[in-house]
Amino acid sequence: MTIPASGLPQGLQIDTLAVREGLPATPWGENSEALFLTSSFCHPNAATAAARFSGEEEGFVYSRFSNPTVMMMERRLAALEGTEACIATSSGMAAILLLLMGLLKSGDHVVCSRSVFGSTIKLLQAEFGKFGVSSSFVSQTDLGEWRAALRPETRLLLAESPTNPLTEVCDIAALAELAHGHGALLAVDNCFATPALQRPAAFGADLIIHSGTKYLDGQGRVLAGALCGSKALIDKVLTPVLRSAGMSLSPFNAWVVLKGLETLSIRMQAQCARALELARWLEAQPQVSRVHYPGLPSHPQHELALRQMGGQGGAVIAFELAAGQGAVAQRSAAFACIDATRLMSITANLGDTKTTITHPASTSHGRLTEEQRQAAGISQGLIRIAVGLEDARDLQADLARMLAAV
Ligand SMILES: *Cc1c(COP(=O)(O)O)cnc(C)c1O
């Protein structure tokens, strides 16, 4: 047996692939993709089982590393990112774990943006540091710092764009050139932009990281993750690690993400449009001292962001309140603002159709010292909203109510 291609015509547009790419339907002709809730697959005879286990023959074997529903999600996401292959994992952090396990060995060095997801920094420093992998953390936006951090043993550059919560944007093409000139690889966490806005492979990134938990699912239901890249990296380097280490995505969660991908593009367009409207409005409010949003001309990497992100700014906004002198007063102003919401969900997740609101300094960045937070630009007066699909007029009225409570 060989596992067939989807049978679609060549050269289809991305929105079509988002709905159609996957595997052919089963003989029953289901229109919605089937959910294969099975841990293992049966073989016609022992010789076939042996051939499939050894990889001599294609075929589904065991859902730790092969399942049709998971494969449909992988093929669809690879098509959206414009990469040859994709491997799904149980969460975004599992994807980053798989990436680091697959690419690095003791003695290797990683250069990583200081502004990446907090657990990514912890995983590199605390866990991989323990196994003899060293890491340098550099400014997200200063290419000179990245270049200066390179060492002969640097194997990987790791960036995220835009970042959480300050929406800092890095120049992916410049980082790819730097990595490749040094014989290293570039991995980009594309969680905030998603392939609906930004395709890092087109700018030279070797591996794209996803937390499917966010916009790919899009409705806050399941944990999921994935890595996209060349067949050589995914099939030869990463799949054997996943097979041994087992950070596998469950077929059910893969099915939820697979169906989420169908609406990713229209959700992102709608959520970005609402976010831009709210960011503009927030910037004009006297209670707000600063708005961080790549779609605003006031954003330091506004032009680069629009160029890399298909003219869109994303759906995450961070803003700073003008009220309060000192950390204690700023925090109480931020808490008063957040507590006055009648519509938004006070939760750290993002990428949901429901708008979420958080206070980064006491949640996602709560484990840092006050000095580390200051260095990272996360003040006590900073609030992050991840804009969902509610009507922008209702969200604006909610924000007005919240600012009035400060
Ligand atoms: C949430 C997130 C992750 C981790 O994903 P999980 O699915 O929660 O493990 C990684 N990177 C970014 C940018 C994230 O926002």
Side-chain angles (χ1 to χ4, degrees):
M1 167 173 122
T2 52
I3 300 171
S6 52
L8 294 169
Q10 291 292 306
L12 294 174
Q13 303 298 320
I14 294 195
D15 284 354
T16 309
L17 294 169
V19 176
R20 296 284 177 180
E21 184 57 278
L23 283 164
T26 72
W28 310 122
E30 71 281 359
N31 187 37
S32 176
E33 292 77 0
L35 169 51
F36 290 91
L37 274 186
T38 178
S39 41
S40 75
F41 296 83
C42 300
H43 313 284
N45 51 54
T48 306
R52 288 179 187 166
F53 261 86
S54 71
E56 238 167 87
E57 181 184 312
E58 280 191 334
F60 296 102
V61 174
Y62 187 63
S63 289
R64 182 170 359 94
F65 53 93
S66 63
N67 176 282
T69 307
V70 177
M71 183 180 274
M72 285 191 274
M73 190 221 104
E74 292 169 335
R75 287 184 171 187
R76 192 169 285 181
L77 186 56
L80 297 189
E81 283 289 2
T83 58
E84 288 174 346
C86 169
I87 185 165
T89 58
S90 54
S91 68
M93 288 320 302
I96 300 171
L97 174 65
L98 173 60
L99 169 87
L100 300 179
M101 282 184 75
L103 297 184
L104 304 172
K105 60 179 187 322
S106 173
D108 286 348
H109 174 248
V110 179
V111 184
C112 182
S113 161
R114 203 177 284 135
S115 313
V116 299
F117 193 62
S119 297
T120 306
I121 292 177
K122 284 245 179 307
L123 181 64
L124 267 171
Q125 262 179 341
E127 308 308 329
F128 278 81
K130 204 161 69 183
F131 298 119
V133 171
S134 57
S135 307
S136 303
F137 296 91
V138 298
S139 154
Q140 165 85 352
T141 53
D142 183 346
L143 203 60
E145 273 195 38
W146 288 83
R147 190 176 297 112
L150 293 173
R151 298 183 196 163
E153 59 276 16
T154 304
R155 297 278 165 270
L156 178 67
L157 274 62
L158 184 52
E160 188 180 302
S161 192
T163 59
N164 180 33
L166 295 178
T167 69
E168 292 173 274
V169 172
C170 68
D171 186 336
I172 298 171
L175 287 178
E177 202 184 310
L178 192 64
H180 299 157
H182 197 76
L185 298 179
L186 172 67
V188 174
D189 188 325
N190 200 24
C191 178
F192 270 46
T194 84
L197 306 186
Q198 168 174 283
R199 302 168 92 198
F203 299 104
D206 301 285
L207 284 159
I208 294 113
I209 301 164
H210 274 293
S211 167
T213 314
K214 312 292 169 54
Y215 293 100
L216 305 189
D217 166 11
Q219 295 177 58
R221 296 164 296 193
V222 299
L223 284 162
L227 295 169
C228 297
S230 67
K231 259 181 110 52
L233 278 174
I234 301 288
D235 294 355
K236 297 285 185 298
V237 179
L238 299 172
T239 300
V241 179
L242 180 112
R243 187 166 173 165
S244 305
M247 58 286 269
S248 326
L249 183 60
S250 83
F252 179 80
N253 289 8
W255 183 83
V256 172
V257 174
L258 177 72
K259 301 308 283 178
L261 289 176
E262 296 181 4
T263 54
L264 175 66
S265 172
I266 56 166
R267 279 188 282 109
M268 287 308 287
Q269 299 302 326
Q271 288 175 237
C272 289
R274 286 158 173 73
L276 178 61
E277 200 177 324
L278 293 174
R280 283 188 180 135
W281 180 82
L282 277 167
E283 206 169 37
Q285 304 311 305
Q287 300 98 325
V288 174
S289 59
R290 178 147 183 216
V291 180
H292 304 262
Y293 181 68
L296 291 176
S298 59
H299 189 278
Q301 297 98 35
H302 175 62
E303 272 159 34
L304 171 66
L306 293 195
R307 200 159 9 102
Q308 264 177 191
M309 294 165 65
Q312 301 280 3
V316 176
I317 304 169
F319 62 95
E320 278 160 48
L321 294 174
Q325 288 295 313
V328 174
Q330 282 178 354
R331 177 186 284 225
S332 70
F335 280 18
C337 176
I338 292 170
D339 290 350
T341 183
R342 303 274 307 276
L343 215 47
M344 301 183 191
S345 309
I346 304 173
T347 177
N349 196 31
L350 63 106
D352 201 316
T353 50
K354 294 180 168 67
T355 297
T356 63
I357 185 162
T358 61
H359 181 245
S362 61
T363 58
S364 54
H365 295 70
R367 286 185 287 178
L368 302 179
T369 64
E370 192 56 38
E371 289 72 50
Q372 286 173 318
R373 264 194 301 271
Q374 299 271 332
I378 316 285
S379 74
Q380 293 289 343
L382 185 79
I383 293 171
R384 185 201 76 189
I385 58 175
V387 180
L389 280 178
E390 301 94 339
D391 192 305
R393 290 167 293 190
D394 292 332
L395 292 171
Q396 187 180 309
D398 200 36
L399 280 169
R401 177 166 41 230
M402 292 155 66
L403 292 178
V406 173

